[in-house]
Amino acid sequence: MAKMLIGGELVDSASGQTYEVRNPATGEVVDKVPKGNEKDVEQAISAAEGAFKEWSDVSAEDRGKMLSNACELIKQKQGDIAQALTKEQGKTLFEAGLEIHHLIHGLEFYAGLASKVRGAHVPLPQKNAYGMVVRQPIGVCAGIVPWNFPLTLMGTKLGPALAAGNTIIVKPASTTPLATLIAIEQIQKATYGEGKQQKTLPKGAVNVVTGPGSTVGEEILRNPRIRRIAFTGSTPVGKHVMEVAGREIKRITLELGGSDPMIVMDDANLDLAIKMADVGRFFNCGQMCLGVKRLFVQESVAESFVGKLTEILKTKTVGNGAAKETRMGPIHIESQRKEIEEQVEDAKSRGAKVVFGGERPKGGDFDKGWFYLPTLLTNVPEDSKVSTEETFGPVLPVFTFKTLDEAIEKANSSIFGLGSSIWTRSLASANRAIDKLQAGNVWVNSLHYGYDELPFGGVKQSGVGREHGPEALDYYLEPKGVVVVNV
Ligand code: NDP
């Protein structure tokens, strides 16, 4: 049975209760996990507070070295982590390997940045005086993580938190705690310093509390001893996080849902755009915040675009993510598949045409898991759910347009504003889209590969604040204004 990590120890929950993690491809139990509650969060906070006293005094250079060593230790368990991730999440082993690669790359990025944090020297009008801006760690942070990318989205929080000198409590999604537990156990073992001076990351600097959002998550939001919360998840839960954490004036960042538009102009490299529409929508079984969720194709090329994309979908092998030949695994949970099915039915009832998919694959092993075929819809009314809501699964609605301004207006008519892309050979069209698309991110002839170098986040109901990039560090440091007067 898996254990939680609190204060450097692998422990059961305070209540002794457990719950089962199941494989979305087979329905089989993968492992049992401690069902934590408020008491376990309290213990983790005490451990993280204790560790903060030591960790915040470690030099920035050594904090970076510790993160580098953590990456090496994660690599040693790469195989086990990938197996656990595929079994608990459903993604293919290839996708699991890519996710671990991203986790390591992200931690290495913050390992490098730890010693590059700068404050400021400020001239003041007063004679014999100057100001400084000193940037200090905040204290105990928490990362609340969803199930679609359990490792990378944990790393985008843990990396900058530790680099800045904070300690952290991670709450994974209830359905995907296993790969996280292996990775964080490795991080807890990481060392810094040479020879006799070598030290291990203080016990309690990283903690994982497993259990439901309604108890473990709520305590993280409420408890005033946690000063900073990084949340990635759905927009409705994000609103709740903002409300509850706001009562204690906690520092929060919210990385929420999206409905990213992909705009394809008739002068684009269409072969590339078709290939990337496939990747952008169906990677990770379409369960990506920054997935292409609305495809806008210029009228003159729409028919051939849809035809060629359909040919790609026909070759996509759906199945258990652990099988070599699988290119798309199951949807992660049953309720998510039900939501997808309702969204597709709603589009159909309003006149949308199912060009491909639109149903579950049937028979044999398919009946054991939460499988759904890659689905392409055309003639989709703009007020249908696949257009107005986030579609968190392998469904792509295609819309057509005559002019770029029309496409931008349609793209912006969403409550979300996470990613977006424009595909064109015209610099003028690209620049207009960069300027006018209401999104935290615009990609030109490209899709987001989870760049650690660039800030990532949303506008409108897609979130608050940024992860990735040096910008993410700003959310883990408090600027302190200092005035020094020579007397
Ligand atoms: P949820 O919002 O349901 O859950 C996210 C996390 O919040 C889970 O760990 C969950 O725990 C926890 N949680 C649930 N209720 C509470 C609560 N009351 N208090 C505190 N924590 C709580 O999202 P999903 O897991 O369904 O993830 C999918 C969503 O995440 C999609 O909308 C997707 O777009 C978004 N996302 C956004 C990204 C971004 O960077 N913008 C990136 C990836 C995903 P539990 O599992 O125990 O319920």
Side-chain angles (χ1 to χ4, degrees), residues 30 59 188 202 224 284 330 415:
V30 183
S59 75
Q188 178 67 82
N284 214 40
I415 59 165

Side-chain angles (χ1 to χ4, degrees), residues 145-148 171 174 213 218 231-234 255-257 289 390:
V145 184
W147 47 255
N148 59 340
K171 186 244 171 285
S174 290
E218 285 293 332
F231 172 85
T232 302
S234 60
E255 299 289 341
L256 309 176
C289 56
E390 178 177 40

Side-chain angles (χ1 to χ4, degrees), residues 142 144 157 229-234 237-238 241 253-256 467:
I144 302 179
K157 298 159 180 60
I229 297 173
F231 172 85
T232 302
S234 60
V237 178
V241 171
T253 47
L254 303 173
E255 299 289 341
L256 309 176
E467 291 196 332

Side-chain angles (χ1 to χ4, degrees), residues 221 229 231 235-250 252-254 256 460 463-465:
L221 306 188
I229 297 173
F231 172 85
T235 296
V237 178
K239 289 179 183 177
H240 177 71
V241 171
M242 196 168 200
E243 203 180 308
V244 180
R247 291 181 204 144
E248 295 294 336
I249 323 287
K250 296 187 184 203
I252 56 164
T253 47
L254 303 173
L256 309 176
K460 300 200 272 188
V464 173

Side-chain angles (χ1 to χ4, degrees), residues 1-4 6 11-19 33-43 171-172 174 177 208-219:
M1 193 191 93
K3 306 237 183 217
M4 301 190 282
I6 297 180
V11 295
D12 294 320
S13 61
S15 69
Q17 288 188 336
T18 60
Y19 70 94
V33 180
K35 189 173 177 184
N37 63 24
E38 296 81 355
K39 277 192 182 153
D40 302 283
V41 176
E42 281 275 355
Q43 283 177 11
K171 186 244 171 285
S174 290
V208 188
V209 182
T210 52
S214 55
T215 51
V216 173
E218 285 293 332
E219 183 60 21

Side-chain angles (χ1 to χ4, degrees), residues 78 95-108 152 452:
Q78 210 156 342
E95 289 166 338
L98 273 184
E99 184 168 350
I100 297 166
H101 168 78
H102 273 296
L103 167 69
I104 292 169
H105 191 269
L107 294 182
E108 275 170 352
T152 46
D452 293 304

Side-chain angles (χ1 to χ4, degrees), residues 435-455:
D435 189 32
K436 296 294 175 197
L437 281 170
Q438 295 167 358
N441 310 264
V442 182
W443 306 297
V444 179
N445 299 320
S446 167
L447 287 178
H448 194 275
Y449 292 99
Y451 293 108
D452 293 304
E453 296 76 7
L454 282 168

Side-chain angles (χ1 to χ4, degrees), residues 40-88:
D40 302 283
V41 176
E42 281 275 355
Q43 283 177 11
I45 296 173
S46 297
E49 279 180 344
F52 179 73
K53 291 185 187 131
E54 187 180 335
W55 185 240
S56 54
D57 272 348
V58 170
S59 75
E61 192 176 340
D62 276 344
R63 295 202 294 259
K65 283 183 181 160
M66 183 288 298
L67 277 174
S68 290
N69 183 240
C71 293
E72 292 309 313
L73 297 177
I74 291 171
K75 280 180 201 162
Q76 289 172 11
K77 290 272 180 177
Q78 210 156 342
D80 293 349
I81 297 173
Q83 290 286 345
L85 186 54
T86 290
K87 279 187 192 157
E88 66 181 344

